[in-house]
Amino acid sequence: MQNIKLTLAYDGTDFSGWQIQPGQPTVQGALSDVLENLTQQRLQIQGAGRTDAGVHAAGQVANFRTEAELSAGEFQRAFNALLPASVRVIAAEQVGPDFHARWNAVAKTYRYRIFRGRVVSPFLWRFVQHDPFPLDFEAMSEAARKFEGEHDFTSFAASTGSEDEDRDRTMTRVIYRSQMERVACAGPPDFGEEWIYTVRGKSFLRYMVRKIVGTLVDVGRGKLPPEDIAELFKLRDRSKSGPTMPPQGLCLAEVEYPNGPGPASSK
């Protein structure tokens, strides 16, 4: 029995998220269909995280177990030949029997891109949130750092849709890094720049990153001072935080495992 680990990149625009949903195009569903074609079995593919509809990935990780005799490299070539062009397997390897893409992850890094120019390039629009209006970068950067550490993120998470699950789930999360940075865009001198929010943590709640970014934008608009972030944690009321930002600016950048950088690293 082989355990195959895949590292994936995908444009999530045309997918209803990672997780299989009846009658909907999903990344997990596309992978499962190809794997069934290759092995003649409907095998279970485990993902490191359930990205939502429209959210992208540059470093999603998945694994599956199979008795097929194809090597990891042969699986990679077959997946890339049969998957839609919006999904690529960028690495494949055989791993130990105990490896699980989700349960063994020690950290995930997400990035949210906000484009600040007047006109979005057609080569960018699927991957950024366009916001050309006045925003205070320094205030947003100060507020971003206040999310680092261990906090109750009830104010920054969406409901699961189930009252029982909402009541029983743990809302405390640990964030190792929370940072805003400016990045110049390639193009004419006045083309614009991106403000990129990077957050690294052990695990994340539903819509948590998009709610954090919505709150940071509220700070940038002067609706909320950075020092009020601590109060939002205490309130445990999602109606008090900023809006949930659109999905296209969000990307799962990296998933880390125990043989990589440790959780406390500043990466």
Side-chain angles (χ1 to χ4, degrees), residues 6 48 58 79 93 101 111 138-139 144 160-161 183 190-192 194 214 219 226 238-239 251 256 259:
L6 306 176
F79 271 118
E93 61 180 307
R111 293 193 177 94
E138 298 304 327
T160 64
V183 178
D190 61 346
F191 180 63
E194 288 184 28
V219 170
R238 65 177 64 94
S239 70
C251 179
E256 298 170 43
N259 59 342

Side-chain angles (χ1 to χ4, degrees), residues 166-184:
D166 285 348
R167 183 174 57 253
D168 295 338
R169 65 177 173 164
T170 299
M171 305 303 288
T172 299
R173 294 293 186 271
V174 178
I175 298 300
Y176 307 125
R177 177 189 175 198
S178 177
Q179 178 181 341
M180 291 288 303
E181 60 183 330
R182 282 185 163 123
V183 178

Side-chain angles (χ1 to χ4, degrees), residues 113 115 119-124 183-194:
R113 299 166 62 185
F115 180 73
V119 179
V120 182
S121 163
F123 304 109
L124 286 179
V183 178
C185 295
D190 61 346
F191 180 63
E193 64 181 7
E194 288 184 28

